[in-house]
Amino acid sequence: MDIVINLLIAAHILAFVAGGSNSVVGPVIGARMAAATPDMRAGYFAVMETLSKVGRAAMVVLLVSGPAILWLKYGGLGGASIWFWIKMALVVVMFASIVVGGINVKKLQAGDVAAGKRADLAHRITGLAFLGVVISAVFAFN
């Protein structure tokens, strides 16, 4: 059983890194959008779409592996610390800001320049929440 749990933990960490890459790359791309030529924007949007697909797949892995790890390794939520609940609250913030950012990126693609600023803010919030999730996870599971 330890092998299964360790493989689930590895999958969870890899999915978190893959999904979290959007938190780093999103603001970098967003900062370049305003000055980008139409051809460059098309390239940036293509990169963002690929990252979005990776992020959605990573979210599925996280939503499956997280509860499985809790159940198999810890026996459920009975011993969850305050740090675990802080982590989960930050996951909700991340998820909400990812959704808001995605909606606004689509609006930006359609020509709504103000949506680009909202998407950039959403990406920044996601990045801060990502950092908080990492820190709170260290405290929750160490």
Side-chain angles (χ1 to χ4, degrees):
M1 187 57 75
D2 286 342
I3 292 172
V4 171
I5 293 169
N6 287 338
L7 290 173
L8 284 169
I9 292 170
H12 197 76
I13 291 169
L14 289 171
F16 192 68
V17 170
S21 67
N22 293 336
S23 302
V24 175
V25 176
V28 172
I29 291 175
R32 287 166 171 69
M33 273 299 182
T37 65
D39 286 342
M40 290 171 64
R41 277 194 186 156
Y44 287 149
F45 284 130
V47 170
M48 291 301 289
E49 182 60 31
T50 300
L51 288 173
S52 179
K53 288 177 184 175
V54 169
R56 286 191 295 271
M59 185 64 71
V60 170
V61 172
L62 290 166
L63 290 173
V64 171
S65 62
I69 294 164
L70 281 174
W71 179 269
L72 295 172
K73 184 172 175 108
Y74 300 104
L77 293 172
S81 70
I82 187 68
W83 287 106
F84 173 80
W85 294 111
I86 291 169
K87 173 188 171 289
M88 294 312 298
L90 290 168
V91 166
V92 169
V93 170
M94 277 183 69
F95 185 74
S97 61
I98 288 167
V99 169
V100 168
I103 289 168
N104 281 285
V105 165
K106 294 293 184 194
K107 288 180 179 181
L108 176 62
Q109 282 178 298
D112 183 352
V113 177
K117 293 179 182 177
R118 291 189 300 270
D120 185 50
L121 177 61
H123 281 115
R124 292 175 192 274
I125 291 169
T126 302
L128 287 173
F130 179 77
L131 176 62
V133 167
V134 171
I135 291 168
S136 59
V138 168
F139 283 95
F141 296 108
N142 190 10

